[in-house]
Amino acid sequence: MTEPRQDEVTVPLEDLVTLVWGRNIRPDVFTRWSQGLEFSEDEPTALIQHEGGPCGIIVPLQASLLKNLLFSEGAPEQWNNLSADQAKQLLLMSLCEVFELCGVEKVVLVYQCTKKDKSGEEAMETGEGSGENTAAEEQEPPTQDTGSAQEEGPVTAVDEFHQSLRMRQFSCADNLKTMIESSYEIFHGRHGVLLFLYSVILSKGIENIKNEVTDPTEPLIDSVHGHGSQSLINLLLTGYAVSHVWDGDQDVAGLKLRGIPRQGKVGFLTLLEHLRYCEVGSYLKNPEFPIWILGSETHLTVLFSKEMTLVAPESRDAEARRIFKSYDPEGNGFISTILLGDVLRALDLCAEEEYVDIMQKKLDSEQLGIIVLEQFMQEFFANEEKSPIPESFTVYHYNGLKRSSNNGKVQYQQGKAMIQDLGEVKCVTTDNSAIKTCLATKWPGVEVLWDNDISPSLN
């Protein structure tokens, strides 16, 4: 097998650090991000997150790993009982996919030099007039210190960490997976999450990322709270560091704001949509596979299922119900009569004033001021095929933080989901949890009965 070719490369470190962290790096935030890609002792394929912050990297990788685990060719039947090596191979596939999503022809590998390596190499550029980085001549990447940052604490201060960084550039033409596999210990060991992030950014190109984000002065990691920005999440999820989650580009007050350019393999739902802070488009709500990253105000988790009908093309019946329900945010099963014209327009049906007036009188014959969903559907979509989604199906939830998991163990939590019409009651629950609210931004009538009657945490 041909070994991936290595090239020398020089990149201004100052630009990289500013893009990721802003003008200042808080030591406590840096410490929270100082961990490797590690698997849970209690769930062979679940990545663990030690502190708040790096879910912006870990969770998109986890979602990709689950996609490969459940839906790739030759996927195992006993998917939740894999060996450590099988889990490692799935993670390697996911690491490779991020570089492929970014459309890079060459991969820039960033690693932390050990003391014995420093004598023969120069550091990355730190600004104008800095010396050039010199790649070592051996064919294999240097060994990475794999001690746990959580057990011993970060081995360097922030400045020392960045001064210890080295880079090599590899051609993707030969075998991307071979290169990533030979570098696995770098991402698995201390600071592995940051080293992977830096590698992705430099491989895609700092200027390319600046051209995609809405505000290039906003860092990818929040300088105060330490969470990853939406641009960072989108970069790992789609290969594009766009700042919004709607479909395509939108013109807002003369500004072209970039959104998601195409359907994702993995989706994204967020509690912030319920709070009216953003709009998630169909490219992320209806991904290629039934896996969704779930966002709260401060954290990311994953919901997944093996039920492929969840991502089947939307039927006309389902579209009509979804649009009607969007005008019924409280889930009452009816809308105000005066909103009928808006609903008809949203469905590309006749919305001329005279026709709307006739239909208002027909659908609200008792002049109660409301139009019920089922009566609306019977009038306009009586002959349309129903949604192929079954009455109930199994879902799973992942949260990488031990402190947010049941019994302090990072494991997939199973539940039985039902998507009910708002006009029908098949299951009555008192679940007002954040996860139900988040899922309702896609399925307004969703109910989930979780194992042990404990709703998973989004935080």
Side-chain angles (χ1 to χ4, degrees):
M1 181 182 294
T2 304
E3 289 293 324
R5 187 169 63 86
Q6 306 179 48
D7 296 323
E8 295 183 4
V9 62
T10 59
V11 174
L13 179 59
E14 183 178 352
D15 289 350
L16 172 65
V17 172
T18 302
L19 176 65
V20 175
W21 301 99
R23 300 184 67 86
N24 298 294
I25 306 176
R26 283 181 49 167
D28 61 319
V29 171
F30 180 81
T31 299
R32 282 158 43 199
W33 277 78
S34 297
Q35 76 158 84
L37 297 172
E38 309 167 34
F39 286 106
S40 169
E41 297 176 353
D42 304 297
E43 191 76 65
T45 58
L47 295 167
I48 58 174
Q49 178 184 340
H50 295 285
E51 300 291 344
C55 57
I57 303 295
I58 294 171
V59 169
L61 286 173
Q62 179 68 54
S64 175
L65 186 153
L66 288 166
K67 172 184 67 67
N68 293 325
L69 169 62
L70 299 175
F71 301 107
S72 62
E73 186 176 350
E77 291 187 13
Q78 300 296 324
W79 61 270
N80 55 352
N81 188 26
L82 271 62
S83 67
D85 185 66
Q86 288 174 308
K88 173 183 173 180
Q89 293 303 314
L90 288 167
L91 179 56
L92 288 172
M93 290 174 62
S94 298
L95 294 171
C96 291
E97 284 182 358
V98 173
F99 291 106
E100 291 168 349
L101 281 171
C102 292
V104 302
E105 296 181 357
K106 293 185 178 181
V107 170
V108 177
L109 173 66
V110 180
Y111 59 92
Q112 191 176 7
C113 191
T114 59
K115 290 181 180 179
K116 67 179 182 179
D117 297 316
K118 289 183 179 179
S119 59
E121 296 186 9
E122 295 181 35
M124 295 164 63
E125 277 190 68
T126 56
E128 277 190 41
S130 299
E132 292 187 348
N133 167 69
T134 305
E137 308 212 346
E138 65 268 24
Q139 289 300 306
E140 296 296 327
T143 56
Q144 169 77 10
D145 184 353
T146 58
S148 170
Q150 283 64 44
E151 293 177 1
E152 301 176 16
V155 297
T156 65
V158 174
D159 290 342
E160 291 175 351
F161 167 75
H162 287 99
Q163 290 167 6
S164 73
L165 297 183
R166 304 292 184 271
M167 301 181 300
R168 288 202 182 88
Q169 185 167 273
F170 296 82
S171 170
C172 292
D174 298 315
N175 193 323
L176 176 60
K177 187 178 179 184
T178 298
M179 186 276 292
I180 294 295
E181 186 165 16
S182 68
S183 309
Y184 178 76
E185 291 304 319
I186 292 174
F187 304 134
H188 177 67
R190 179 181 287 122
H191 298 121
V193 168
L194 286 175
L195 294 173
F196 176 68
L197 171 59
Y198 286 10
S199 297
V200 170
I201 290 172
L202 295 182
S203 297
K204 183 175 174 71
I206 292 175
E207 289 305 315
N208 289 333
I209 291 176
K210 286 183 176 180
N211 290 334
E212 290 175 353
V213 300
T214 298
D215 183 358
T217 66
E218 289 291 326
L220 296 179
I221 297 175
D222 184 87
S223 57
V224 176
H225 303 291
H227 57 256
S229 69
Q230 190 65 52
S231 295
L232 175 58
I233 298 167
N234 289 345
L235 175 64
L236 274 289
L237 187 60
T238 70
Y240 296 90
V242 295
S243 303
H244 304 283
V245 289
W246 56 55
D247 293 345
D249 300 339
Q250 291 190 12
D251 189 302
V252 178
L255 295 175
K256 180 182 178 181
L257 302 181
R258 302 183 65 178
I260 305 300
R262 58 174 178 263
Q263 181 190 33
K265 291 185 180 296
V266 170
F268 179 80
L269 304 174
T270 175
L271 197 60
L272 297 180
E273 183 170 31
H274 169 76
L275 299 173
R276 309 287 181 172
Y277 288 127
C278 70
E279 172 195 350
V280 181
S282 62
Y283 287 156
L284 290 180
K285 278 192 176 176
N286 303 294
E288 189 174 340
F289 298 97
I291 302 170
W292 290 267
I293 292 174
L294 307 182
S296 70
E297 298 94 333
T298 59
H299 188 45
L300 300 175
T301 60
V302 181
L303 181 95
F304 63 100
S305 175
K306 297 184 72 176
E307 181 56 64
M308 283 299 293
T309 57
L310 295 176
V311 290
E314 188 176 43
S315 66
R316 184 63 170 159
D317 177 272
E319 179 191 21
R321 291 177 182 275
R322 173 176 57 80
I323 289 177
F324 186 98
K325 292 169 186 176
S326 70
Y327 289 86
D328 175 26
E330 296 181 359
N332 296 315
F334 58 80
I335 61 170
S336 170
T337 301
I338 61 175
L339 294 175
L340 178 61
D342 295 332
V343 174
L344 294 178
R345 273 187 290 274
L347 287 165
D348 293 324
L349 298 176
C350 179
E352 294 181 3
E353 185 176 349
E354 184 177 350
Y355 176 75
V356 171
D357 185 57
I358 293 172
M359 296 311 301
Q360 285 175 335
K361 292 176 180 177
K362 180 177 182 180
L363 296 175
D364 183 19
S365 58
E366 297 182 12
Q367 298 184 339
L368 299 175
I370 62 172
I371 294 174
V372 179
L373 171 61
E374 292 309 316
Q375 191 175 3
F376 174 85
M377 294 299 298
Q378 185 63 33
E379 178 66 33
F380 295 102
F381 299 96
N383 298 320
E384 294 289 343
E385 292 185 6
K386 302 289 184 180
S387 169
I389 298 175
E391 284 194 2
S392 66
F393 51 91
T394 301
V395 294
Y396 302 87
H397 182 259
Y398 156 86
N399 189 331
L401 285 170
K402 286 186 178 181
R403 65 171 181 260
S404 300
S405 303
N406 289 339
N407 302 317
K409 295 181 178 180
V410 175
Q411 294 176 304
Y412 303 134
Q413 186 171 346
Q414 183 173 325
K416 179 182 178 183
M418 293 148 283
I419 299 176
Q420 306 177 113
D421 291 334
L422 295 182
E424 302 178 39
V425 178
K426 300 175 185 175
C427 170
V428 177
T429 73
T430 57
D431 182 9
N432 294 313
S433 63
I435 190 169
K436 177 184 174 181
T437 302
C438 183
L439 297 180
T441 62
K442 175 172 172 60
W443 301 293
V446 70
E447 296 285 352
V448 185
L449 302 177
W450 295 101
D451 286 2
N452 303 321
D453 295 324
I454 300 174
S455 295
S457 172
L458 288 187
N459 295 311

